Amino acid sequence: MGSRKRGVPEINAGSMADIAFLLLIFFLVTTTMDVDKGLLVKLPPWSEEAQEPPQDIKEKNIFVVLVNAQDQLLVEDEYASLEDVRRMAKEFIDNNGDGTCQDCRGLRDPASSDNPTKAVISLQNDRGTSYNMFIKVRNELLGAYSELRNDLATRKYGRDYESLSESEQEEVNAVYPQFISEAEPVEVGG
Amino acid sequence: MALIKKKKKAETPPLSTASLPDIVFMLLFFFMVTTTMREVTLLVKVKKPQATEIQKLERKDLTTYIYIGAPKSAELGTEPRIQLADQLASVGDVQQWVILQRESINEAERTKFTVSIKADVDAKMGLISDIKQELRKAQSLKLSYSANPAASAEELYKAY
């Protein structure tokens, strides 16, 4: 009884920091802060029968990008390199052939797209196309749209597209809606 | 001047380390909270492609991953394979699996369900397209091609 009444000896807290450091280093090593990033796309809904190309889209409103099994590019029936895709896509989207798009600054070439709301980009690839190349081309096409949107945002609001409010972004998107179709792969060979 | 010199000669008081555990604990808690353990062991080699137009996937719990790449173990060959969760699978399994994954999340948020394809740069589009078809069949239409950020678009042209 008497021994219990004696005060308990204080625990030495000097090693507390060491223990905490040990745990800290463990979490430092195991932690992975990778947030998954990627190219966001939306797939068309599934339909049983083979997709017939819609009849009401004019040939000049479709921008065809073809990638073959050797990762070579054919843009609008012409050989092209990856550097050209973005510029050509931008010219096509921004063309504004019928003049209904007030915010566009295109060349108004009658042989190219009518206006951005009608312009469709069709990306076709072979089964043998490498994923790397596909992503690069996809990236260029997305880049064409984001550059156009960014240009419009700077002209209209004097700010980057990213810094616009949600409603302003929607307005910009309404001028340049994104129509990129990833066709089912065909054996284009090559 | 003489007075200042004298002061300089005086010994500096020892630095108190009493708050060191507090600081360390603070860091510790930060890392404990932010840490996410790798939930799957990769059976395939995945070297993600680079891109510039990438967007962050905000909700991890609403995302499902499909890994595509050459198997790590040599006896399985070098042909790219699909990994779902912890095992290798075939194209035919994808639809069923994606539907199951989608059903496991809250009904109100099912429309935000996204599939992230983490594919190797050397994979061929044939396999990716087959998976895309399966996803369409499973009515899971939001897709993300996982990629690493590239410094600039010019960098991508160089490799091409």
Side-chain angles (χ1 to χ4, degrees):
Chain A
M1 284 301 259
S3 62
R4 269 198 192 173
K5 268 184 183 167
R6 219 184 292 152
V8 236
E10 213 174 295
I11 298 167
N12 183 12
S15 55
M16 183 82 100
D18 300 339
I19 298 164
F21 261 121
L22 198 83
L23 282 166
L24 174 62
I25 288 161
F26 169 73
F27 279 102
L28 263 171
V29 171
T30 55
T31 201
T32 47
M33 291 225 218
D34 65 327
V35 260
D36 191 28
K37 290 176 179 173
L39 305 175
L40 281 180
V41 299
K42 203 142 188 348
L43 295 172
W46 173 256
S47 59
E48 278 301 324
E49 62 270 18
Q51 288 261 302
E52 283 284 311
Q55 299 300 313
D56 54 335
I57 299 181
K58 280 187 228 156
E59 184 68 33
K60 65 171 189 170
N61 281 328
I62 307 176
F63 184 77
V64 182
V65 182
L66 208 77
V67 197
N68 75 0
Q70 269 74 52
D71 291 352
Q72 290 159 327
L73 276 167
L74 195 69
V75 180
E76 290 286 72
D77 299 326
E78 274 174 54
Y79 286 111
S81 62
L82 192 62
E83 288 98 318
D84 304 327
V85 174
R86 193 183 292 237
R87 180 184 48 81
M88 289 170 88
K90 271 175 82 175
E91 275 170 16
F92 165 78
I93 301 160
D94 208 24
N95 179 56
N96 192 22
D98 62 2
T100 47
C101 169
Q102 263 90 42
D103 295 310
C104 298
R105 295 198 159 174
L107 301 164
R108 307 200 59 172
D109 177 3
S112 190
S113 77
D114 283 335
N115 60 54
T117 54
K118 284 192 179 155
V120 178
I121 292 178
S122 167
L123 173 57
Q124 294 167 15
N125 61 270
D126 186 80
R127 289 189 68 86
T129 306
S130 80
Y131 181 63
N132 197 21
M133 188 61 192
F134 174 80
I135 290 297
K136 280 181 182 173
V137 177
R138 197 75 176 71
N139 187 55
E140 289 305 297
L141 297 178
L142 284 170
Y145 273 106
S146 64
E147 274 184 23
L148 284 172
R149 286 177 178 177
N150 213 9
D151 287 351
L152 180 62
T154 346
R155 282 204 303 269
K156 237 179 160 177
Y157 305 102
R159 274 180 293 152
D160 277 357
Y161 178 76
E162 285 300 315
S163 60
L164 297 182
S165 73
E166 222 163 90
S167 61
E168 287 169 336
Q169 281 192 353
E170 261 167 42
E171 257 175 64
V172 174
N173 292 356
V175 177
Y176 293 119
Q178 215 172 63
F179 298 117
I180 303 176
S181 127
E182 291 173 24
E184 284 156 39
V186 278
E187 296 287 341
V188 290
Chain B
M1 280 302 274
L3 196 76
I4 293 167
K5 259 187 187 169
K6 247 184 203 169
K7 262 196 178 169
K8 268 196 178 167
K9 267 183 187 166
E11 254 180 65
T12 39
L15 203 69
S16 167
T17 54
S19 57
L20 191 62
D22 300 339
I23 298 165
V24 172
F25 266 116
M26 201 174 68
L27 281 168
L28 176 64
F29 287 137
F30 171 72
F31 279 102
M32 276 177 77
V33 170
T34 55
T35 200
T36 45
M37 304 275 177
R38 198 174 278 281
E39 56 264 49
V40 288
T41 42
L42 278 178
L43 302 172
V44 292
K45 287 179 220 148
V46 174
K47 185 173 169 278
K48 287 198 274 182
Q50 286 195 314
T52 52
E53 301 297 320
I54 49 177
Q55 282 166 291
K56 230 189 260 176
L57 278 176
E58 248 123 61
R59 295 282 300 275
K60 240 179 191 171
D61 51 330
L62 299 179
T63 311
T64 288
Y65 302 97
I66 297 176
Y67 302 90
I68 299 155
K72 273 184 179 163
S73 60
E75 59 255 40
L76 290 169
T78 53
E79 202 53 34
R81 300 283 299 271
I82 306 165
Q83 183 187 348
L84 304 171
D86 271 327
Q87 50 192 338
L88 294 176
S90 63
V91 175
D93 303 329
V94 173
Q95 183 184 356
Q96 198 62 40
W97 188 75
V98 166
I99 291 171
L100 276 175
Q101 292 295 310
R102 190 177 50 210
E103 266 163 21
S104 69
I105 61 173
N106 189 349
E107 208 168 343
E109 295 188 304
R110 253 175 228 175
T111 50
K112 292 180 194 156
F113 178 75
T114 310
V115 175
S116 174
I117 290 186
K118 293 195 174 191
D120 191 80
V121 282
D122 293 325
K124 294 283 174 222
M125 277 313 287
L127 185 61
I128 313 268
S129 302
D130 289 343
I131 290 172
K132 264 162 46 183
Q133 296 300 80
E134 291 297 313
L135 291 178
R136 286 175 60 196
K137 280 185 209 166
Q139 294 300 318
S140 165
L141 302 175
K142 284 183 85 179
L143 174 65
S144 159
Y145 298 110
S146 187
N148 287 329
S152 68
E154 281 72 33
E155 206 168 285
L156 299 177
Y157 304 149
K158 258 185 256 159
Y160 166 72

